[in-house]
């Protein structure tokens, strides 16, 4: 069994020291009991024991119409617990993730390696516009996994950096001066809901690229919000649909809950790739997990390919 160890700033804000992401041989699961047994089995391999630990079911929910996410807990003491996340696809499990609170790392038997995304992601070409497993609903559902940040526009800048010729720090005024365009997009959350025809206005991402001039070896774009949320996607995705820095929605500045002053929208990728309250865009040649990627979500997240989780 291969295990990855992932450390990520945003998950740390949630008390997670490290995520242990284990690739298991395809395991058939037909009921919640099978899930608990699987969690016990993998836990025993990773930690060398399960004596004195009890695995308790917490919740499960559909992610699209093929996957189910199960959450379990292994209490350590009255406050701390190891979280377990298991995703099945058509009742088959390929990964089991453990989220460790601080102070437990020493108990690990395995020597986990960093996650290495599959290289096909940076090479393949064709895609279609299908949205398998999504259901349309009338309005966006607001997600703030790390709470709502407090900041004022006077202190806020959008910093674009990394492997670029001209790093920049931009104010909202600077962004407007680059020139905006109108967009109508469909928005897709990985959990399975989509919203059609959202009117937005923003700066074509191409303008940012032309300004900062990323180096030829750039492969990934890592972005961060003011709340500590981060996400990542392959650089080449920004050329596959109309990527833009959204400043307005439905004819008005972005509402604060939707990420004012700016969020980067890549319409063909799932919504978690769009960091709200965007403050950093980093062009890089190395893959780094963001918040949801650290918890097993896909490095690219193409909606038409249904890339919800890291490999099936
Ligand atoms: N900064 C930040 N950006 C974020 C999130 C978040 O928690 N914090 N959640 C993501 C997820 S999972 C989704 S589906 C969309 C939801 O956008 P909305 O809250 O505007 O509906 O924002 C994404 N961007
Ligand atoms: Mo989401």
């Amino acid at each position: 069994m291969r295990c990855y160890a992932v450390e990520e700033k945003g998950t740390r804000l949630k008390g997670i020291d490290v995520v242990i992401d284990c690739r298991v041989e395809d395991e058939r699961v037909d009921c919640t009991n099978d899930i608990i047994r699987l969690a016990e089995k993998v836990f025993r391999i990773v930690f060398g024991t399960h004596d004195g630990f009890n695995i308790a079911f917490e919740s499960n929910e559909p992610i699209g119409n093929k996957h189910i996410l199960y959450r379990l807990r292994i209490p350590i003491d009255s406050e701390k617990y190891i979280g377990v996340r298991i995703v099945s696809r058509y009742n088959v499990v390929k990964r089991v993730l453990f989220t460790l609170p601080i102070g437990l790392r020493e108990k690990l038997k395995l020597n986990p390696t960093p996650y290495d995304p599959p290289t096909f992601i940076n090479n393949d070409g064709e895609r279609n516009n299908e949205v398998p497993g999504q259901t349309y609903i009338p309005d966006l559902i607001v997600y703030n996994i790390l709470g709502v940040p407090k900041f004022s526009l006077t202190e806020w800048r959008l910093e674009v950096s990394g492997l670029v010729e001209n790093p920049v720090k931009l104010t909202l005024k600077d962004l407007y001066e680059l020139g905006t365009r109108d967009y109508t997009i469909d928005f897709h959350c990985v959990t399975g809901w989509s919203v059609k025809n959202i009117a937005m206005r923003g700066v074509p991402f191409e303008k940012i690229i032309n300004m900062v001039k990323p180096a030829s070896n750039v492969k990934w774009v890592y972005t961060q919000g003011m709340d500590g949320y981060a996400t990542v996607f392959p650089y080449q995705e920004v050329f596959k649909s109309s990527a833009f820095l959204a400043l307005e929605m439905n004819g008005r500045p972005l509402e604060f809950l939707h990420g004012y002053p700016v969020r980067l929208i890549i319409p063909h990728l799932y919504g978690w790739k769009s960091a709200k309250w965007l403050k950093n865009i980093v062009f890089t040649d190395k893959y780094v997990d963001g918040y949801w990627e650290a918890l097993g979500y896909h490095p690219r997240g193409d909606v038409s390919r249904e890339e919800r989780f890291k490999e099936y």
Side-chain angles (χ1 to χ4, degrees), residues 10 16 19 39 46-47 49 109 155 171 177 202 210 221 234 264 312:
I16 297 173
V19 182
V46 175
F47 293 86
T49 174
K109 244 177 115 187
E155 58 182 297
T171 62
E177 280 170 7
N210 293 340
V221 183
L264 174 57
Y312 292 131

Side-chain angles (χ1 to χ4, degrees), residues 20-284:
I20 306 296
D21 174 354
C22 301
R23 176 79 174 86
V24 296
E25 294 304 320
D26 295 10
E27 294 268 358
R28 174 87 201 174
V29 285
D30 292 309
C31 57
T32 329
N33 260 333
D34 287 353
I35 289 285
I36 293 172
R37 266 194 297 273
L38 175 62
E40 277 168 357
K41 186 173 113 184
V42 180
F43 181 79
R44 209 173 301 130
I45 298 171
V46 175
F47 293 86
T49 174
H50 83 290
D51 298 346
F53 291 103
N54 278 310
I55 301 193
F57 179 84
E58 187 190 339
S59 63
N60 60 349
E61 62 172 287
I63 304 290
N65 63 1
K66 302 169 187 68
H67 298 84
I68 296 181
L69 168 65
Y70 295 84
R71 295 189 198 83
L72 300 92
R73 283 182 180 204
I74 305 168
I76 303 301
D77 55 37
S78 53
E79 287 144 48
K80 285 187 180 172
Y81 63 88
I82 298 173
V84 189
R85 302 172 71 93
I86 297 179
V87 179
S88 68
R89 180 177 193 265
Y90 290 127
N91 290 46
V92 174
V93 171
K94 303 221 171 171
R95 317 182 84 89
V96 176
L97 283 82
F98 297 97
T99 58
L100 303 201
I102 291 155
L104 270 181
R105 224 187 271 224
E106 310 72 52
K107 302 214 165 143
L108 279 182
K109 244 177 115 187
L110 289 180
N111 238 344
T113 52
Y115 172 72
D116 205 7
T119 49
F120 74 83
I121 286 176
N122 299 99
N123 295 319
D124 64 349
E126 27 26 285
R127 47 176 305 282
N128 57 50
N129 286 313
E130 280 157 35
V131 293
Q134 296 295 109
T135 303
Y136 284 98
I137 60 168
D139 193 10
L140 293 172
I141 307 298
V142 172
Y143 288 103
N144 309 313
I145 192 69
L146 297 173
V148 176
K150 275 207 179 105
F151 63 94
S152 75
L153 198 59
T154 47
E155 58 182 297
W156 176 87
R157 295 288 181 277
L158 175 62
E159 184 171 352
V160 190
S161 62
L163 300 173
V164 298
E165 217 175 290
N166 307 310
V168 289
K169 278 188 187 163
L170 305 166
T171 62
L172 186 53
K173 188 162 168 277
D174 296 333
L175 284 171
Y176 270 101
E177 280 170 7
L178 286 172
T180 60
R181 255 193 57 188
D182 288 325
Y183 298 87
T184 304
I185 62 136
D186 296 349
F187 190 92
H188 311 283
C189 173
V190 69
T191 59
W193 57 264
S194 295
V195 179
K196 245 191 196 325
N197 295 333
I198 306 173
M200 290 190 141
R201 175 171 293 165
V203 181
F205 196 62
E206 229 182 321
K207 297 206 181 197
I208 302 295
I209 289 169
N210 293 340
M211 182 167 53
V212 302
K213 298 188 172 51
S216 58
N217 59 335
V218 167
K219 271 203 178 137
W220 298 94
V221 183
Y222 179 82
T223 62
Q224 280 180 298
M226 295 293 285
D227 54 346
Y229 180 87
T231 187
V232 68
F233 48 83
Y235 176 44
Q236 66 177 26
E237 296 306 311
V238 307
F239 305 105
K240 292 189 183 171
S241 62
S242 52
F244 62 100
L245 291 168
L247 306 176
E248 298 180 14
M249 190 163 88
N250 302 322
R252 279 173 298 179
L254 270 186
E255 276 170 49
F256 194 75
L257 284 174
H258 290 302
Y260 177 86
V262 58
R263 68 192 299 178
L264 174 57
I265 301 272
I266 304 170
H268 72 286
L269 303 185
Y270 286 115
W272 96 80
K273 298 293 184 181
S274 170
K276 304 193 283 189
W277 313 292
L278 186 63
K279 71 161 184 174
N280 273 307
I281 301 175
V282 186
F283 292 90
T284 151

